[in-house]
Amino acid sequence: MKETFIQNETEKKPLRNLSLIIPVYNENVEVVKETLSQCRQVLNEHCTYEIIIVNDGSDQQYNVKNLNNDPNCIYAEHDKNQGYGVALKTGILNAKYDLIGIIDADGTYPVKRLPDLLKLASNCDMVIGLRTGKIREIPLLRRFPKAVLNKFASYIAGTNIQDLNSGM
């Protein structure tokens, strides 16, 4: 697939539309603000986007109007915690673009790598960010069950999935 570019005064932007979902549940508000700020900065340089923050019943509010005045940011909220998967589903159902991205709000994923995933997404059905280093360390008790689940998911998908629980 050939990329289409629009000419910007300072750079070329791939012509893409992305709905980025950020599920939150009791994360530190300052960390969420920083993640949101980084996402906006990176995405402004690379694509047309919307960011959907889904508050999954947190004790605190993450209302986008309190975080910024960006019209590209949308806020959705569950009255009570329904789980990560339901938060993602809420975000996906509220997305206006076909290309869906997900990033956790806790600041553990390198937002600056989103453009790399966007580029790969033009040739794939799904792209998953792989965590590395200390952030990927799995407690001993959970290693065997996770390995079995990873093997099963890889078998079903027909490809090796290195980080099944990635939030990017």
Side-chain angles (χ1 to χ4, degrees):
M1 172 183 271
K2 188 174 181 179
E3 290 185 357
T4 305
F5 289 92
I6 57 173
Q7 187 66 41
N8 190 321
E9 293 171 23
T10 57
E11 65 191 46
K12 290 183 177 179
K13 277 188 172 181
L15 187 58
R16 294 208 175 94
N17 299 324
L18 172 70
S19 293
L20 183 66
I21 301 165
I22 304 177
V24 293
Y25 178 68
N26 287 340
E27 274 86 16
N28 179 296
V29 174
E30 293 306 313
V31 173
V32 174
K33 282 183 187 179
E34 180 59 28
T35 299
L36 181 60
S37 174
Q38 289 177 17
C39 289
R40 290 174 54 232
Q41 183 179 353
V42 167
L43 294 177
N44 272 326
E45 297 175 16
H46 295 280
C47 65
T48 302
Y49 70 92
E50 69 174 348
I51 297 175
I52 305 168
I53 296 176
V54 181
N55 181 353
D56 189 29
S58 297
D59 297 335
Q60 45 199 323
Q61 297 292 309
Y62 299 96
N63 195 318
V64 181
K65 290 177 183 165
N66 296 334
L67 299 177
N68 67 52
N69 290 320
D70 187 344
N72 295 325
C73 293
I74 298 163
Y75 183 72
E77 184 172 37
H78 296 160
D79 291 336
K80 62 181 182 173
N81 181 258
Q82 297 182 43
Y84 188 77
V86 176
L88 295 181
K89 183 176 179 181
T90 296
I92 291 167
L93 290 174
N94 283 283
K96 68 179 175 182
Y97 298 125
D98 291 336
L99 185 59
I100 305 290
I102 299 164
I103 193 163
D104 287 349
D106 60 6
T108 58
Y109 291 92
V111 174
K112 65 184 179 190
R113 299 300 303 269
L114 279 172
D116 298 330
L117 297 177
L118 280 172
K119 194 176 283 186
L120 290 169
S122 64
N123 298 320
C124 301
D125 294 327
M126 183 176 191
V127 178
I128 301 172
L130 173 64
R131 294 174 287 187
T132 59
K134 287 197 174 248
I135 198 74
R136 182 97 196 317
E137 289 181 10
I138 301 167
L140 186 60
L141 210 56
R142 295 178 57 203
R143 287 183 191 168
F144 179 72
K146 285 182 90 53
V148 171
L149 185 58
N150 257 1
K151 289 284 186 199
F152 180 67
S154 294
Y155 172 76
I156 296 293
T159 188
N160 183 30
I161 301 173
Q162 294 182 17
D163 191 355
L164 185 64
N165 298 111
S166 176
M168 185 176 196

